[in-house]
Short mmCIF file of all heavy atoms in Angstrom, two decimals:
data_model
loop_
_atom_site.label_atom_id
_atom_site.label_comp_id
_atom_site.label_asym_id
_atom_site.label_seq_id
_atom_site.Cartn_x
_atom_site.Cartn_y
_atom_site.Cartn_z
N LEU A 143 2.24 -12.23 5.97
CA LEU A 143 3.20 -11.15 6.14
C LEU A 143 4.61 -11.67 5.88
O LEU A 143 4.87 -12.87 5.99
CB LEU A 143 3.11 -10.58 7.56
CG LEU A 143 1.78 -9.93 7.94
CD1 LEU A 143 1.82 -9.49 9.40
CD2 LEU A 143 1.47 -8.74 7.04
N PRO A 144 5.55 -10.79 5.54
CA PRO A 144 6.94 -11.23 5.35
C PRO A 144 7.47 -11.88 6.62
O PRO A 144 7.02 -11.57 7.73
CB PRO A 144 7.69 -9.91 5.05
CG PRO A 144 6.64 -8.97 4.55
CD PRO A 144 5.38 -9.34 5.27
N PRO A 145 8.44 -12.79 6.49
CA PRO A 145 8.94 -13.52 7.66
C PRO A 145 9.61 -12.63 8.71
O PRO A 145 9.76 -13.05 9.85
CB PRO A 145 9.94 -14.51 7.05
CG PRO A 145 10.30 -13.94 5.72
CD PRO A 145 9.09 -13.22 5.24
N TYR A 146 10.00 -11.41 8.31
CA TYR A 146 10.66 -10.53 9.28
C TYR A 146 9.65 -9.65 10.03
O TYR A 146 10.03 -8.86 10.88
CB TYR A 146 11.71 -9.65 8.59
CG TYR A 146 11.22 -8.98 7.32
CD1 TYR A 146 10.49 -7.82 7.35
CD2 TYR A 146 11.52 -9.55 6.08
CE1 TYR A 146 10.04 -7.22 6.18
CE2 TYR A 146 11.08 -8.96 4.90
CZ TYR A 146 10.35 -7.79 4.97
OH TYR A 146 9.91 -7.21 3.80
N ILE A 147 8.37 -9.79 9.72
CA ILE A 147 7.32 -9.07 10.45
C ILE A 147 6.68 -10.05 11.43
O ILE A 147 6.10 -11.06 11.01
CB ILE A 147 6.26 -8.49 9.50
CG1 ILE A 147 6.91 -7.52 8.51
CG2 ILE A 147 5.16 -7.79 10.30
CD1 ILE A 147 7.52 -6.28 9.14
N HIS A 148 6.77 -9.75 12.71
CA HIS A 148 6.27 -10.67 13.74
C HIS A 148 5.00 -10.16 14.42
O HIS A 148 4.38 -10.90 15.17
CB HIS A 148 7.36 -10.92 14.78
CG HIS A 148 8.66 -11.37 14.19
ND1 HIS A 148 8.80 -12.58 13.54
CD2 HIS A 148 9.88 -10.77 14.12
CE1 HIS A 148 10.05 -12.70 13.11
NE2 HIS A 148 10.72 -11.62 13.45
N GLU A 149 4.64 -8.90 14.17
CA GLU A 149 3.44 -8.34 14.77
C GLU A 149 2.28 -8.45 13.78
O GLU A 149 2.45 -8.15 12.60
CB GLU A 149 3.65 -6.88 15.16
CG GLU A 149 4.71 -6.65 16.24
CD GLU A 149 4.27 -7.21 17.57
OE1 GLU A 149 3.04 -7.22 17.84
OE2 GLU A 149 5.14 -7.61 18.36
N PRO A 150 1.10 -8.88 14.22
CA PRO A 150 -0.05 -8.94 13.31
C PRO A 150 -0.50 -7.54 12.90
O PRO A 150 -0.33 -6.58 13.65
CB PRO A 150 -1.12 -9.65 14.14
CG PRO A 150 -0.75 -9.36 15.56
CD PRO A 150 0.75 -9.31 15.59
N VAL A 151 -1.05 -7.45 11.70
CA VAL A 151 -1.57 -6.16 11.22
C VAL A 151 -3.01 -6.03 11.69
O VAL A 151 -3.86 -6.85 11.33
CB VAL A 151 -1.51 -6.09 9.68
CG1 VAL A 151 -2.12 -4.79 9.19
CG2 VAL A 151 -0.07 -6.20 9.21
N PRO A 152 -3.31 -5.00 12.53
CA PRO A 152 -4.68 -4.86 13.05
C PRO A 152 -5.73 -4.76 11.95
O PRO A 152 -6.80 -5.34 12.05
CB PRO A 152 -4.60 -3.57 13.89
CG PRO A 152 -3.15 -3.40 14.21
CD PRO A 152 -2.41 -3.95 13.03
N ASP A 153 -5.39 -4.02 10.88
CA ASP A 153 -6.31 -3.83 9.77
C ASP A 153 -5.68 -4.44 8.52
O ASP A 153 -4.68 -3.91 8.02
CB ASP A 153 -6.60 -2.35 9.55
CG ASP A 153 -7.52 -2.10 8.37
OD1 ASP A 153 -8.08 -3.08 7.83
OD2 ASP A 153 -7.68 -0.93 7.98
N PRO A 154 -6.21 -5.55 7.98
CA PRO A 154 -5.61 -6.18 6.80
C PRO A 154 -5.47 -5.23 5.61
O PRO A 154 -4.58 -5.41 4.79
CB PRO A 154 -6.59 -7.32 6.48
CG PRO A 154 -7.26 -7.63 7.77
CD PRO A 154 -7.38 -6.30 8.48
N GLU A 155 -6.32 -4.21 5.53
CA GLU A 155 -6.23 -3.27 4.42
C GLU A 155 -4.93 -2.47 4.47
O GLU A 155 -4.52 -1.90 3.46
CB GLU A 155 -7.42 -2.31 4.43
CG GLU A 155 -8.70 -2.93 3.91
CD GLU A 155 -8.58 -3.42 2.47
OE1 GLU A 155 -8.16 -2.63 1.60
OE2 GLU A 155 -8.89 -4.60 2.22
N ARG A 156 -4.29 -2.46 5.63
CA ARG A 156 -3.05 -1.69 5.76
C ARG A 156 -1.91 -2.38 5.01
O ARG A 156 -0.88 -1.77 4.74
CB ARG A 156 -2.70 -1.52 7.24
CG ARG A 156 -1.63 -0.49 7.53
CD ARG A 156 -2.03 0.87 6.97
NE ARG A 156 -0.98 1.86 7.20
CZ ARG A 156 0.11 1.99 6.43
NH1 ARG A 156 0.28 1.20 5.39
NH2 ARG A 156 1.02 2.90 6.71
N TYR A 157 -2.10 -3.68 4.69
CA TYR A 157 -1.10 -4.40 3.91
C TYR A 157 -1.52 -4.49 2.44
O TYR A 157 -1.11 -5.36 1.71
CB TYR A 157 -0.88 -5.80 4.49
CG TYR A 157 0.37 -6.50 3.98
CD1 TYR A 157 1.62 -5.92 4.11
CD2 TYR A 157 0.28 -7.75 3.36
CE1 TYR A 157 2.75 -6.54 3.63
CE2 TYR A 157 1.41 -8.40 2.89
CZ TYR A 157 2.64 -7.79 3.03
OH TYR A 157 3.77 -8.42 2.55
N GLN A 158 -2.37 -3.54 2.02
CA GLN A 158 -2.75 -3.38 0.62
C GLN A 158 -2.38 -1.95 0.20
O GLN A 158 -2.38 -1.03 1.03
CB GLN A 158 -4.26 -3.56 0.43
CG GLN A 158 -4.83 -4.86 0.97
CD GLN A 158 -4.64 -6.04 0.01
OE1 GLN A 158 -4.00 -5.92 -1.03
NE2 GLN A 158 -5.20 -7.18 0.38
N THR A 159 -2.07 -1.76 -1.07
CA THR A 159 -1.91 -0.40 -1.57
C THR A 159 -3.29 0.24 -1.69
O THR A 159 -4.31 -0.45 -1.76
CB THR A 159 -1.22 -0.40 -2.95
OG1 THR A 159 -2.04 -1.12 -3.88
CG2 THR A 159 0.15 -1.06 -2.87
N VAL A 160 -3.33 1.56 -1.71
CA VAL A 160 -4.63 2.25 -1.78
C VAL A 160 -5.27 2.06 -3.15
O VAL A 160 -6.46 2.32 -3.32
CB VAL A 160 -4.48 3.75 -1.47
CG1 VAL A 160 -4.03 3.95 -0.03
CG2 VAL A 160 -3.53 4.44 -2.44
N TYR A 161 -4.49 1.60 -4.15
CA TYR A 161 -5.04 1.41 -5.50
C TYR A 161 -5.16 -0.07 -5.86
O TYR A 161 -5.41 -0.41 -7.02
CB TYR A 161 -4.16 2.13 -6.54
CG TYR A 161 -2.68 1.97 -6.33
CD1 TYR A 161 -2.02 0.79 -6.65
CD2 TYR A 161 -1.93 3.01 -5.79
CE1 TYR A 161 -0.68 0.64 -6.44
CE2 TYR A 161 -0.57 2.87 -5.57
CZ TYR A 161 0.05 1.68 -5.91
OH TYR A 161 1.40 1.54 -5.69
N ALA A 162 -4.98 -0.97 -4.87
CA ALA A 162 -5.07 -2.41 -5.15
C ALA A 162 -6.49 -2.76 -5.62
O ALA A 162 -7.47 -2.33 -5.02
CB ALA A 162 -4.72 -3.21 -3.90
N ARG A 163 -6.60 -3.57 -6.67
CA ARG A 163 -7.93 -3.90 -7.18
C ARG A 163 -8.05 -5.34 -7.68
O ARG A 163 -9.10 -5.95 -7.58
CB ARG A 163 -8.35 -2.94 -8.30
CG ARG A 163 -7.49 -3.03 -9.55
CD ARG A 163 -7.98 -2.10 -10.65
NE ARG A 163 -7.17 -2.23 -11.87
CZ ARG A 163 -7.41 -3.13 -12.81
NH1 ARG A 163 -8.43 -3.96 -12.69
NH2 ARG A 163 -6.64 -3.19 -13.89
N GLN A 164 -6.96 -5.93 -8.22
CA GLN A 164 -7.04 -7.25 -8.83
C GLN A 164 -6.42 -8.30 -7.91
O GLN A 164 -5.21 -8.35 -7.74
CB GLN A 164 -6.29 -7.24 -10.17
CG GLN A 164 -6.37 -8.55 -10.94
CD GLN A 164 -7.77 -8.85 -11.44
OE1 GLN A 164 -8.49 -7.95 -11.87
NE2 GLN A 164 -8.16 -10.11 -11.37
N PRO A 165 -7.24 -9.14 -7.26
CA PRO A 165 -6.69 -10.14 -6.33
C PRO A 165 -5.77 -11.13 -7.03
O PRO A 165 -6.03 -11.53 -8.17
CB PRO A 165 -7.94 -10.84 -5.78
CG PRO A 165 -9.07 -9.91 -6.07
CD PRO A 165 -8.71 -9.21 -7.33
N GLY A 166 -4.69 -11.51 -6.34
CA GLY A 166 -3.81 -12.50 -6.93
C GLY A 166 -2.44 -12.60 -6.28
O GLY A 166 -1.76 -13.60 -6.45
N SER A 167 -2.01 -11.59 -5.53
CA SER A 167 -0.68 -11.62 -4.93
C SER A 167 -0.68 -12.38 -3.61
O SER A 167 -1.63 -12.29 -2.83
CB SER A 167 -0.16 -10.20 -4.70
OG SER A 167 0.36 -9.64 -5.89
N ALA A 168 0.42 -13.09 -3.36
CA ALA A 168 0.61 -13.75 -2.07
C ALA A 168 1.41 -12.87 -1.13
O ALA A 168 1.58 -13.19 0.05
CB ALA A 168 1.32 -15.08 -2.27
N ALA A 169 1.91 -11.74 -1.63
CA ALA A 169 2.62 -10.76 -0.82
C ALA A 169 2.41 -9.40 -1.47
O ALA A 169 2.18 -9.30 -2.67
CB ALA A 169 4.11 -11.09 -0.74
N ALA A 170 2.47 -8.36 -0.67
CA ALA A 170 2.17 -7.02 -1.18
C ALA A 170 3.32 -6.48 -2.04
O ALA A 170 4.49 -6.75 -1.76
CB ALA A 170 1.92 -6.06 -0.02
N PRO A 171 2.99 -5.71 -3.09
CA PRO A 171 4.03 -4.94 -3.79
C PRO A 171 4.41 -3.76 -2.90
O PRO A 171 3.87 -2.66 -3.01
CB PRO A 171 3.32 -4.50 -5.09
CG PRO A 171 1.86 -4.51 -4.74
CD PRO A 171 1.66 -5.54 -3.69
N THR A 172 5.33 -4.01 -1.98
CA THR A 172 5.54 -3.12 -0.83
C THR A 172 5.99 -1.71 -1.18
O THR A 172 5.76 -0.79 -0.40
CB THR A 172 6.55 -3.74 0.15
OG1 THR A 172 7.73 -4.12 -0.58
CG2 THR A 172 5.97 -4.99 0.80
N ALA A 173 6.62 -1.52 -2.33
CA ALA A 173 7.08 -0.18 -2.68
C ALA A 173 5.92 0.81 -2.80
O ALA A 173 6.11 2.01 -2.65
CB ALA A 173 7.88 -0.22 -3.98
N GLY A 174 4.73 0.30 -3.08
CA GLY A 174 3.58 1.18 -3.25
C GLY A 174 2.77 1.41 -1.99
O GLY A 174 1.78 2.16 -2.03
N LEU A 175 3.15 0.80 -0.87
CA LEU A 175 2.34 0.90 0.34
C LEU A 175 2.32 2.32 0.91
O LEU A 175 1.46 2.64 1.72
CB LEU A 175 2.86 -0.07 1.41
CG LEU A 175 2.62 -1.56 1.17
CD1 LEU A 175 3.25 -2.38 2.29
CD2 LEU A 175 1.12 -1.85 1.09
N HIS A 176 3.27 3.17 0.49
CA HIS A 176 3.38 4.50 1.11
C HIS A 176 2.59 5.58 0.39
O HIS A 176 2.54 6.73 0.86
CB HIS A 176 4.86 4.90 1.18
CG HIS A 176 5.73 3.81 1.74
ND1 HIS A 176 5.53 3.26 2.98
CD2 HIS A 176 6.79 3.15 1.20
CE1 HIS A 176 6.43 2.33 3.20
NE2 HIS A 176 7.21 2.23 2.13
N PHE A 177 1.96 5.23 -0.73
CA PHE A 177 1.15 6.22 -1.44
C PHE A 177 -0.20 6.40 -0.74
O PHE A 177 -0.79 5.45 -0.24
CB PHE A 177 0.91 5.80 -2.89
CG PHE A 177 2.09 6.00 -3.78
CD1 PHE A 177 2.93 4.94 -4.09
CD2 PHE A 177 2.36 7.25 -4.32
CE1 PHE A 177 4.02 5.12 -4.92
CE2 PHE A 177 3.45 7.44 -5.15
CZ PHE A 177 4.29 6.37 -5.45
N THR A 178 -0.66 7.63 -0.70
CA THR A 178 -2.00 7.96 -0.21
C THR A 178 -2.80 8.56 -1.36
O THR A 178 -2.22 9.03 -2.35
CB THR A 178 -1.92 8.98 0.94
OG1 THR A 178 -1.38 10.22 0.43
CG2 THR A 178 -1.05 8.47 2.09
N PRO A 179 -4.13 8.55 -1.27
CA PRO A 179 -4.92 9.19 -2.33
C PRO A 179 -4.53 10.65 -2.55
O PRO A 179 -4.45 11.11 -3.69
CB PRO A 179 -6.36 9.06 -1.81
CG PRO A 179 -6.33 7.83 -0.96
CD PRO A 179 -4.99 7.86 -0.28
N ARG A 180 -4.27 11.37 -1.46
CA ARG A 180 -3.90 12.79 -1.60
C ARG A 180 -2.58 12.93 -2.34
O ARG A 180 -2.43 13.82 -3.19
CB ARG A 180 -3.82 13.44 -0.22
CG ARG A 180 -3.26 14.87 -0.28
CD ARG A 180 -3.17 15.51 1.09
NE ARG A 180 -4.48 15.95 1.55
CZ ARG A 180 -4.66 16.64 2.68
NH1 ARG A 180 -3.63 16.95 3.45
NH2 ARG A 180 -5.87 17.02 3.03
N LEU A 181 -1.60 12.09 -2.02
CA LEU A 181 -0.30 12.18 -2.70
C LEU A 181 -0.46 11.89 -4.18
O LEU A 181 0.15 12.56 -5.03
CB LEU A 181 0.69 11.21 -2.05
CG LEU A 181 2.10 11.17 -2.65
CD1 LEU A 181 2.74 12.55 -2.63
CD2 LEU A 181 2.97 10.16 -1.90
N LEU A 182 -1.27 10.89 -4.52
CA LEU A 182 -1.50 10.58 -5.94
C LEU A 182 -2.19 11.74 -6.64
O LEU A 182 -1.86 12.07 -7.80
CB LEU A 182 -2.34 9.31 -6.06
CG LEU A 182 -1.64 8.01 -5.62
CD1 LEU A 182 -2.64 6.86 -5.57
CD2 LEU A 182 -0.50 7.66 -6.58
N GLU A 183 -3.13 12.39 -5.96
CA GLU A 183 -3.80 13.56 -6.55
C GLU A 183 -2.81 14.70 -6.77
O GLU A 183 -2.86 15.39 -7.79
CB GLU A 183 -4.94 14.02 -5.63
CG GLU A 183 -6.12 13.05 -5.57
CD GLU A 183 -7.15 13.50 -4.55
OE1 GLU A 183 -6.97 14.59 -3.97
OE2 GLU A 183 -8.12 12.75 -4.33
N THR A 184 -1.90 14.89 -5.82
CA THR A 184 -0.89 15.94 -5.96
C THR A 184 -0.01 15.69 -7.18
O THR A 184 0.27 16.61 -7.96
CB THR A 184 -0.01 16.02 -4.70
OG1 THR A 184 -0.82 16.35 -3.58
CG2 THR A 184 1.08 17.07 -4.85
N LEU A 185 0.40 14.44 -7.37
CA LEU A 185 1.25 14.10 -8.51
C LEU A 185 0.50 14.32 -9.83
O LEU A 185 1.05 14.87 -10.79
CB LEU A 185 1.71 12.65 -8.40
CG LEU A 185 2.71 12.36 -7.28
CD1 LEU A 185 2.90 10.86 -7.10
CD2 LEU A 185 4.05 13.03 -7.56
N THR A 186 -0.78 13.91 -9.87
CA THR A 186 -1.58 14.12 -11.08
C THR A 186 -1.73 15.60 -11.36
O THR A 186 -1.65 16.03 -12.52
CB THR A 186 -2.96 13.46 -10.92
OG1 THR A 186 -2.80 12.06 -10.69
CG2 THR A 186 -3.81 13.67 -12.16
N GLY A 187 -1.97 16.39 -10.31
CA GLY A 187 -2.12 17.83 -10.48
C GLY A 187 -0.88 18.51 -11.01
O GLY A 187 -0.96 19.58 -11.60
N ARG A 188 0.27 17.88 -10.80
CA ARG A 188 1.54 18.44 -11.28
C ARG A 188 1.92 17.91 -12.65
O ARG A 188 3.03 18.14 -13.12
CB ARG A 188 2.65 18.16 -10.28
CG ARG A 188 2.44 18.84 -8.94
CD ARG A 188 3.68 18.83 -8.10
NE ARG A 188 3.48 19.53 -6.83
CZ ARG A 188 4.46 19.88 -6.00
NH1 ARG A 188 5.71 19.59 -6.31
NH2 ARG A 188 4.20 20.50 -4.85
N GLY A 189 1.01 17.15 -13.28
CA GLY A 189 1.27 16.68 -14.63
C GLY A 189 2.02 15.37 -14.72
O GLY A 189 2.49 14.99 -15.80
N VAL A 190 2.12 14.65 -13.60
CA VAL A 190 2.75 13.34 -13.62
C VAL A 190 1.72 12.32 -14.08
O VAL A 190 0.63 12.23 -13.52
CB VAL A 190 3.30 12.96 -12.23
CG1 VAL A 190 3.86 11.54 -12.24
CG2 VAL A 190 4.37 13.95 -11.79
#
């Protein structure tokens, strides 16, 4: 976890994006942590 996070993450998957698939990062691409499958579906449905 980043050095400014002092609490352990109960579920390690919570520090992964919902679309993470290729192992290799030593830290999460944090900007994407807030996407959910439903939000991605909404964006696709709107032509994004």
Side-chain angles (χ1 to χ4, degrees):
L143 297 176
Y146 48 82
I147 300 296
H148 307 295
E149 296 292 330
V151 177
D153 178 9
E155 283 300 307
R156 194 57 182 82
Y157 194 57
Q158 306 278 5
T159 61
V160 296
Y161 43 76
R163 65 178 182 86
Q164 183 68 39
S167 280
T172 51
L175 289 177
H176 312 303
F177 284 99
T178 64
R180 173 180 283 186
L181 180 57
L182 291 171
E183 291 175 4
T184 298
L185 290 170
T186 300
R188 296 194 178 192
V190 175

